[in-house]
Amino acid sequence: MKFTLNWLKDHLETEAPLDEIVAALTDLGLEVDAVEDPARALGAFTIARVIEAKPHPDADRLRLCRVETKPEGPSGPSVEVQVVCGAPNARTGLVGVFAAPGTHVPGTGVDLKKGVIRGVESNGMLCSERELMLSEDHDGIIDLPADAPLGARYIDWAGLNDPVIEIKITPNRPDALGVAGVARDLAARGLGRLIEKPVAPVPGGFPCPLAVTIDADAVEAAPVFCGRLIRGVKNGPSPDWMQRRLRGIGLRPISALVDITNYLTYDRNRPLHVFDADKVKGALRVHRAAGGEKIVALDDREYTLEAGMLAISDDEGVESIAGIMGGAATGCTEETVNVFVESAWWDPVTIAAAGRRLKINSDARYRFERGADPDFTPPGLELATRMILDLCGGEPSVAVMAGAVPDHARAYPLNPARAASLVGMDIPAAEQVRILSALGFSAEPEGAGYRVSVPSWRPDVKGEADLVEEVARIVSLSRLVSKPMSRPAGVAGAVLTPMQKRTARARRRLAAAGLNECVTYSFVSTKETALFGGGDALRKLENPISSELSDMRPSPLPGLLAAAARNQARGFADLGLFEVGAEYFGSEPGEQREVAAILRVGHAAPRDWSGARRPVDMMDAKADAEAVLAAIGAPVERLGAAREAPEFFHPGRSALLKLGPRSALAAFGELHPKVLKALDVKGPAVAAIVYLEEAPFPKAKGRTRPALALPAYQAVERDFAFVVDARCEAETILRAAKGADKTLIESASVFDIFAGPAAEAQMGAGRKSVAIAVRLQPLNATLTEAEIEAVSARIVAAVEKVTGGALRA
């Protein structure tokens, strides 16, 4: 939305300087995007008179001018300077525009300096219109009337000192799309007095020969359509003041009739349309398009209307796209003599939908789809009629109207105390009433507060909170003083939930392990969801953003694998990724759970001379899963492994980490080759999924740390090697060994496995050797050899019983 300062002052009586107005607009919520102030570029150019112009002694085309200027203004003393000028119209007695040394000339980009031209000193210059960027005229210097005041700023005398202000309008403020609405806000702030401009009806001299009707199926979207005929108009150029304002906001003046409608669109937020009445055949009818109707609009482009769009037609067809753009066939030209002026109100949603479908961006559409003032529809017609009569002459008919102005009257209660509770500002009730009254609202006492009626031009105000917002906006939210919130119970309680803290710990632990965090879509393709146990209709989206994102993800792993594939395609073969987020196993609320998904692809370490580089394996995934579980406080030492991993893992190289027979806390292992092939990921690739919600939360503890308890007696380690079935899991052996004496046995770990053809040659077919180290930690006394032997015997017996193996000789 653009307007000029002088245009604003047509509606606002104010002495506030430009900078204060600009600051107030932004503070009121009408953010100023740009200000074009001619005084900054042309304020230094003044009116001067050539006392004498004579030929340059050394140049035929140059003239030596004695110029009278008044540097201190029209009332200051005269100063004579010498200027060398090459303009053909430089002459004695000419009154022109002078630029002193030091002035920046915008048309040339040069900062003037005193100089010597062909041996003669020159102190400034006499300017052409192109040098001031007023036009492309460079044939001569500006020639002003003889009575132009010497020393005055040229832009003030020529009426060019009218800054252009551009503001950003939010969709909820259609009233600010008119200069009058902007002035109303500034007046309410106290920057001046709003100039009320009541619209007087224009009496008609004869019945309107053009009838207007609204079809029954269009009344809801087009409730009112009014207009009148004006005959005998003369459609010449619009006056200079109007043309300057329109050019200032970026509009090209066309003719008086067109310029008047454009002017009122910006001045009062009232879009209008003018038909050449002689080109209209029969009556005008507002209706919904049947579909397929074609019209060449005023932008000279042909549009095909779709069924349901609003149109204005005469007896021969569509003549205007209602509320958006008129047709070229009935547009006004210089030969137009009789015009029909239309003022209507259109449903914002209907106009917005049609404008988007037709891809037309017009000032009318921009305003109607945000909500023009319905009550101003008939007065807008009267205002346009008066301007046409004043500028173009003619005789008006009686106004005709189809339908009725829609009733948007509404009122809401306002408790003055709500300002303090909603925005934290103590605003006196009388001041609140004053502000609302200045904005066009009316407040009547009701109970402990007021009942406030909303003006027709504010469709955005829909309740008490909006009324408080209007008051706070005018008072200025910059006056809001920050205050600490009250804490009646002392120190505030925890802000994060236990689950939020758990996910944060998981993220920190995985990032510390060198993995890169990813945030992927919660949607995947049907192919990907089928690979990870999904694919059912319940998790399919009804309105997906693309065909590749059609289902809710059953796991974050598809997104991580897609990221890995993209990195591999760009030469990054070794990477570790993780994501903490939701996986979905149903369509109902709560049928999702928070997981930490981990993916490692390639090698565990970069190439190195020591040969430490190796491919990632399932134990890397297990270590990641156990690290996360330890970080969130899960009892890792009590977990057992089970071969029950999801189907997207390799069936022989994956497992679950379980706490007891039922509670699975994590799954880990190599990914299935068919999954890697389908997603174009080159292995090796291992993954882990930690089910963050499944791990039990630790019992509540005090804030004080317990005392450090260090064992007083030396630990003892013993090694055992068992010959067991080749299919026996090492986890089974460790669990049996630790269960032999839970008091003395602190830990057990596997340190060697001897398997394969060589092992079977020594120990028999289908056999392997597993060596474990068991650490004994006494608590009350140093262990004797007999006690150690007794514990060792229990360990051997426990392992042999569970596995069916034997101690290796």
PDB file of all heavy atoms in Angstrom, residues 212-236:
ATOM      1  N   VAL A 212     -30.255  -3.228 -13.638  1.00  0.00           N
ATOM      2  CA  VAL A 212     -29.279  -4.155 -13.058  1.00  0.00           C
ATOM      3  C   VAL A 212     -30.030  -5.198 -12.236  1.00  0.00           C
ATOM      4  O   VAL A 212     -31.009  -4.884 -11.555  1.00  0.00           O
ATOM      5  CB  VAL A 212     -28.245  -3.420 -12.166  1.00  0.00           C
ATOM      6  CG1 VAL A 212     -27.385  -2.494 -13.000  1.00  0.00           C
ATOM      7  CG2 VAL A 212     -28.924  -2.637 -11.058  1.00  0.00           C
ATOM      8  N   THR A 213     -29.586  -6.448 -12.345  1.00  0.00           N
ATOM      9  CA  THR A 213     -30.224  -7.536 -11.610  1.00  0.00           C
ATOM     10  C   THR A 213     -29.150  -8.478 -11.076  1.00  0.00           C
ATOM     11  O   THR A 213     -28.013  -8.493 -11.563  1.00  0.00           O
ATOM     12  CB  THR A 213     -31.181  -8.344 -12.504  1.00  0.00           C
ATOM     13  OG1 THR A 213     -30.433  -8.887 -13.606  1.00  0.00           O
ATOM     14  CG2 THR A 213     -32.312  -7.485 -13.012  1.00  0.00           C
ATOM     15  N   ILE A 214     -29.532  -9.264 -10.058  1.00  0.00           N
ATOM     16  CA  ILE A 214     -28.647 -10.281  -9.486  1.00  0.00           C
ATOM     17  C   ILE A 214     -29.398 -11.597  -9.517  1.00  0.00           C
ATOM     18  O   ILE A 214     -30.518 -11.702  -8.987  1.00  0.00           O
ATOM     19  CB  ILE A 214     -28.250  -9.945  -8.039  1.00  0.00           C
ATOM     20  CG1 ILE A 214     -27.588  -8.571  -7.968  1.00  0.00           C
ATOM     21  CG2 ILE A 214     -27.312 -11.009  -7.476  1.00  0.00           C
ATOM     22  CD1 ILE A 214     -27.309  -8.095  -6.545  1.00  0.00           C
ATOM     23  N   ASP A 215     -28.821 -12.629 -10.122  1.00  0.00           N
ATOM     24  CA  ASP A 215     -29.465 -13.939 -10.170  1.00  0.00           C
ATOM     25  C   ASP A 215     -29.577 -14.517  -8.766  1.00  0.00           C
ATOM     26  O   ASP A 215     -28.760 -14.234  -7.887  1.00  0.00           O
ATOM     27  CB  ASP A 215     -28.662 -14.894 -11.048  1.00  0.00           C
ATOM     28  CG  ASP A 215     -28.878 -14.614 -12.533  1.00  0.00           C
ATOM     29  OD1 ASP A 215     -29.553 -13.613 -12.845  1.00  0.00           O
ATOM     30  OD2 ASP A 215     -28.354 -15.382 -13.367  1.00  0.00           O
ATOM     31  N   ALA A 216     -30.579 -15.369  -8.573  1.00  0.00           N
ATOM     32  CA  ALA A 216     -30.847 -15.928  -7.239  1.00  0.00           C
ATOM     33  C   ALA A 216     -29.668 -16.733  -6.713  1.00  0.00           C
ATOM     34  O   ALA A 216     -29.371 -16.705  -5.514  1.00  0.00           O
ATOM     35  CB  ALA A 216     -32.104 -16.796  -7.291  1.00  0.00           C
ATOM     36  N   ASP A 217     -28.975 -17.450  -7.605  1.00  0.00           N
ATOM     37  CA  ASP A 217     -27.861 -18.279  -7.130  1.00  0.00           C
ATOM     38  C   ASP A 217     -26.603 -17.468  -6.829  1.00  0.00           C
ATOM     39  O   ASP A 217     -25.614 -18.013  -6.330  1.00  0.00           O
ATOM     40  CB  ASP A 217     -27.532 -19.370  -8.147  1.00  0.00           C
ATOM     41  CG  ASP A 217     -27.041 -18.794  -9.472  1.00  0.00           C
ATOM     42  OD1 ASP A 217     -27.215 -17.570  -9.693  1.00  0.00           O
ATOM     43  OD2 ASP A 217     -26.482 -19.557 -10.286  1.00  0.00           O
ATOM     44  N   ALA A 218     -26.633 -16.159  -7.125  1.00  0.00           N
ATOM     45  CA  ALA A 218     -25.459 -15.318  -6.887  1.00  0.00           C
ATOM     46  C   ALA A 218     -25.657 -14.330  -5.751  1.00  0.00           C
ATOM     47  O   ALA A 218     -24.709 -13.624  -5.377  1.00  0.00           O
ATOM     48  CB  ALA A 218     -25.093 -14.550  -8.157  1.00  0.00           C
ATOM     49  N   VAL A 219     -26.870 -14.273  -5.168  1.00  0.00           N
ATOM     50  CA  VAL A 219     -27.161 -13.251  -4.160  1.00  0.00           C
ATOM     51  C   VAL A 219     -26.267 -13.408  -2.935  1.00  0.00           C
ATOM     52  O   VAL A 219     -25.818 -12.411  -2.353  1.00  0.00           O
ATOM     53  CB  VAL A 219     -28.650 -13.318  -3.757  1.00  0.00           C
ATOM     54  CG1 VAL A 219     -28.919 -12.451  -2.538  1.00  0.00           C
ATOM     55  CG2 VAL A 219     -29.525 -12.872  -4.919  1.00  0.00           C
ATOM     56  N   GLU A 220     -25.974 -14.630  -2.527  1.00  0.00           N
ATOM     57  CA  GLU A 220     -25.164 -14.828  -1.328  1.00  0.00           C
ATOM     58  C   GLU A 220     -23.744 -14.294  -1.520  1.00  0.00           C
ATOM     59  O   GLU A 220     -23.156 -13.736  -0.598  1.00  0.00           O
ATOM     60  CB  GLU A 220     -25.108 -16.319  -0.981  1.00  0.00           C
ATOM     61  CG  GLU A 220     -24.386 -16.608   0.331  1.00  0.00           C
ATOM     62  CD  GLU A 220     -24.427 -18.066   0.698  1.00  0.00           C
ATOM     63  OE1 GLU A 220     -25.133 -18.845   0.026  1.00  0.00           O
ATOM     64  OE2 GLU A 220     -23.740 -18.445   1.666  1.00  0.00           O
ATOM     65  N   ALA A 221     -23.172 -14.447  -2.723  1.00  0.00           N
ATOM     66  CA  ALA A 221     -21.812 -13.976  -2.985  1.00  0.00           C
ATOM     67  C   ALA A 221     -21.791 -12.553  -3.513  1.00  0.00           C
ATOM     68  O   ALA A 221     -20.729 -11.898  -3.476  1.00  0.00           O
ATOM     69  CB  ALA A 221     -21.120 -14.900  -3.982  1.00  0.00           C
ATOM     70  N   ALA A 222     -22.929 -12.048  -4.017  1.00  0.00           N
ATOM     71  CA  ALA A 222     -23.005 -10.685  -4.540  1.00  0.00           C
ATOM     72  C   ALA A 222     -24.300 -10.052  -4.035  1.00  0.00           C
ATOM     73  O   ALA A 222     -25.271  -9.914  -4.780  1.00  0.00           O
ATOM     74  CB  ALA A 222     -22.974 -10.693  -6.066  1.00  0.00           C
ATOM     75  N   PRO A 223     -24.336  -9.664  -2.759  1.00  0.00           N
ATOM     76  CA  PRO A 223     -25.608  -9.215  -2.176  1.00  0.00           C
ATOM     77  C   PRO A 223     -26.077  -7.854  -2.661  1.00  0.00           C
ATOM     78  O   PRO A 223     -27.266  -7.564  -2.597  1.00  0.00           O
ATOM     79  CB  PRO A 223     -25.308  -9.187  -0.679  1.00  0.00           C
ATOM     80  CG  PRO A 223     -23.824  -9.014  -0.585  1.00  0.00           C
ATOM     81  CD  PRO A 223     -23.255  -9.721  -1.766  1.00  0.00           C
ATOM     82  N   VAL A 224     -25.172  -6.983  -3.134  1.00  0.00           N
ATOM     83  CA  VAL A 224     -25.591  -5.642  -3.536  1.00  0.00           C
ATOM     84  C   VAL A 224     -24.799  -5.206  -4.760  1.00  0.00           C
ATOM     85  O   VAL A 224     -23.586  -5.426  -4.855  1.00  0.00           O
ATOM     86  CB  VAL A 224     -25.417  -4.622  -2.390  1.00  0.00           C
ATOM     87  CG1 VAL A 224     -23.972  -4.530  -1.937  1.00  0.00           C
ATOM     88  CG2 VAL A 224     -25.949  -3.247  -2.788  1.00  0.00           C
ATOM     89  N   PHE A 225     -25.530  -4.601  -5.719  1.00  0.00           N
ATOM     90  CA  PHE A 225     -24.928  -4.079  -6.945  1.00  0.00           C
ATOM     91  C   PHE A 225     -25.670  -2.801  -7.287  1.00  0.00           C
ATOM     92  O   PHE A 225     -26.877  -2.820  -7.530  1.00  0.00           O
ATOM     93  CB  PHE A 225     -25.061  -5.103  -8.074  1.00  0.00           C
ATOM     94  CG  PHE A 225     -24.428  -4.683  -9.371  1.00  0.00           C
ATOM     95  CD1 PHE A 225     -23.127  -5.043  -9.669  1.00  0.00           C
ATOM     96  CD2 PHE A 225     -25.143  -3.927 -10.306  1.00  0.00           C
ATOM     97  CE1 PHE A 225     -22.550  -4.673 -10.874  1.00  0.00           C
ATOM     98  CE2 PHE A 225     -24.559  -3.543 -11.502  1.00  0.00           C
ATOM     99  CZ  PHE A 225     -23.262  -3.927 -11.799  1.00  0.00           C
ATOM    100  N   CYS A 226     -24.940  -1.671  -7.255  1.00  0.00           N
ATOM    101  CA  CYS A 226     -25.604  -0.399  -7.549  1.00  0.00           C
ATOM    102  C   CYS A 226     -24.802   0.375  -8.589  1.00  0.00           C
ATOM    103  O   CYS A 226     -23.609   0.111  -8.806  1.00  0.00           O
ATOM    104  CB  CYS A 226     -25.796   0.435  -6.286  1.00  0.00           C
ATOM    105  SG  CYS A 226     -24.303   0.770  -5.348  1.00  0.00           S
ATOM    106  N   GLY A 227     -25.460   1.305  -9.245  1.00  0.00           N
ATOM    107  CA  GLY A 227     -24.788   2.084 -10.282  1.00  0.00           C
ATOM    108  C   GLY A 227     -25.684   3.189 -10.794  1.00  0.00           C
ATOM    109  O   GLY A 227     -26.833   3.348 -10.376  1.00  0.00           O
ATOM    110  N   ARG A 228     -25.161   3.960 -11.720  1.00  0.00           N
ATOM    111  CA  ARG A 228     -25.955   5.029 -12.358  1.00  0.00           C
ATOM    112  C   ARG A 228     -25.287   5.408 -13.671  1.00  0.00           C
ATOM    113  O   ARG A 228     -24.080   5.218 -13.876  1.00  0.00           O
ATOM    114  CB  ARG A 228     -26.069   6.236 -11.449  1.00  0.00           C
ATOM    115  CG  ARG A 228     -24.775   6.934 -11.208  1.00  0.00           C
ATOM    116  CD  ARG A 228     -24.883   8.372 -10.646  1.00  0.00           C
ATOM    117  NE  ARG A 228     -26.104   8.773 -10.074  1.00  0.00           N
ATOM    118  CZ  ARG A 228     -26.259   9.194  -8.806  1.00  0.00           C
ATOM    119  NH1 ARG A 228     -25.183   9.213  -7.997  1.00  0.00           N
ATOM    120  NH2 ARG A 228     -27.417   9.616  -8.369  1.00  0.00           N
ATOM    121  N   LEU A 229     -26.089   5.948 -14.551  1.00  0.00           N
ATOM    122  CA  LEU A 229     -25.595   6.422 -15.843  1.00  0.00           C
ATOM    123  C   LEU A 229     -25.253   7.902 -15.737  1.00  0.00           C
ATOM    124  O   LEU A 229     -25.992   8.673 -15.111  1.00  0.00           O
ATOM    125  CB  LEU A 229     -26.659   6.216 -16.921  1.00  0.00           C
ATOM    126  CG  LEU A 229     -26.220   6.569 -18.341  1.00  0.00           C
ATOM    127  CD1 LEU A 229     -25.454   5.426 -18.960  1.00  0.00           C
ATOM    128  CD2 LEU A 229     -27.433   6.921 -19.200  1.00  0.00           C
ATOM    129  N   ILE A 230     -24.149   8.307 -16.333  1.00  0.00           N
ATOM    130  CA  ILE A 230     -23.788   9.719 -16.459  1.00  0.00           C
ATOM    131  C   ILE A 230     -23.579   9.972 -17.944  1.00  0.00           C
ATOM    132  O   ILE A 230     -22.695   9.376 -18.576  1.00  0.00           O
ATOM    133  CB  ILE A 230     -22.506  10.052 -15.672  1.00  0.00           C
ATOM    134  CG1 ILE A 230     -22.654   9.646 -14.201  1.00  0.00           C
ATOM    135  CG2 ILE A 230     -22.171  11.533 -15.789  1.00  0.00           C
ATOM    136  CD1 ILE A 230     -21.397   9.877 -13.370  1.00  0.00           C
ATOM    137  N   ARG A 231     -24.382  10.847 -18.499  1.00  0.00           N
ATOM    138  CA  ARG A 231     -24.293  11.097 -19.934  1.00  0.00           C
ATOM    139  C   ARG A 231     -23.629  12.444 -20.195  1.00  0.00           C
ATOM    140  O   ARG A 231     -23.667  13.349 -19.376  1.00  0.00           O
ATOM    141  CB  ARG A 231     -25.669  11.050 -20.570  1.00  0.00           C
ATOM    142  CG  ARG A 231     -26.636  12.110 -20.085  1.00  0.00           C
ATOM    143  CD  ARG A 231     -28.031  11.839 -20.610  1.00  0.00           C
ATOM    144  NE  ARG A 231     -28.999  12.867 -20.189  1.00  0.00           N
ATOM    145  CZ  ARG A 231     -30.306  12.749 -20.318  1.00  0.00           C
ATOM    146  NH1 ARG A 231     -30.825  11.639 -20.861  1.00  0.00           N
ATOM    147  NH2 ARG A 231     -31.115  13.726 -19.924  1.00  0.00           N
ATOM    148  N   GLY A 232     -22.995  12.529 -21.360  1.00  0.00           N
ATOM    149  CA  GLY A 232     -22.385  13.779 -21.774  1.00  0.00           C
ATOM    150  C   GLY A 232     -21.061  14.081 -21.096  1.00  0.00           C
ATOM    151  O   GLY A 232     -20.726  15.253 -20.913  1.00  0.00           O
ATOM    152  N   VAL A 233     -20.271  13.072 -20.741  1.00  0.00           N
ATOM    153  CA  VAL A 233     -18.977  13.320 -20.091  1.00  0.00           C
ATOM    154  C   VAL A 233     -17.926  13.582 -21.147  1.00  0.00           C
ATOM    155  O   VAL A 233     -18.059  13.200 -22.315  1.00  0.00           O
ATOM    156  CB  VAL A 233     -18.554  12.120 -19.215  1.00  0.00           C
ATOM    157  CG1 VAL A 233     -19.579  11.845 -18.134  1.00  0.00           C
ATOM    158  CG2 VAL A 233     -18.308  10.880 -20.052  1.00  0.00           C
ATOM    159  N   LYS A 234     -16.825  14.243 -20.715  1.00  0.00           N
ATOM    160  CA  LYS A 234     -15.675  14.473 -21.595  1.00  0.00           C
ATOM    161  C   LYS A 234     -14.475  13.799 -20.937  1.00  0.00           C
ATOM    162  O   LYS A 234     -13.982  14.252 -19.909  1.00  0.00           O
ATOM    163  CB  LYS A 234     -15.420  15.970 -21.789  1.00  0.00           C
ATOM    164  CG  LYS A 234     -14.251  16.268 -22.706  1.00  0.00           C
ATOM    165  CD  LYS A 234     -14.123  17.750 -22.969  1.00  0.00           C
ATOM    166  CE  LYS A 234     -12.917  18.067 -23.844  1.00  0.00           C
ATOM    167  NZ  LYS A 234     -12.946  17.350 -25.116  1.00  0.00           N
ATOM    168  N   ASN A 235     -14.019  12.712 -21.539  1.00  0.00           N
ATOM    169  CA  ASN A 235     -12.975  11.889 -20.926  1.00  0.00           C
ATOM    170  C   ASN A 235     -11.598  12.343 -21.383  1.00  0.00           C
ATOM    171  O   ASN A 235     -10.971  11.717 -22.249  1.00  0.00           O
ATOM    172  CB  ASN A 235     -13.195  10.403 -21.266  1.00  0.00           C
ATOM    173  CG  ASN A 235     -12.261   9.507 -20.489  1.00  0.00           C
ATOM    174  OD1 ASN A 235     -11.741   9.885 -19.445  1.00  0.00           O
ATOM    175  ND2 ASN A 235     -12.033   8.303 -21.000  1.00  0.00           N
ATOM    176  N   GLY A 236     -11.116  13.429 -20.804  1.00  0.00           N
ATOM    177  CA  GLY A 236      -9.777  13.906 -21.129  1.00  0.00           C
ATOM    178  C   GLY A 236      -8.782  13.466 -20.075  1.00  0.00           C
ATOM    179  O   GLY A 236      -9.044  12.580 -19.258  1.00  0.00           O
TER     180      GLY A 236
END
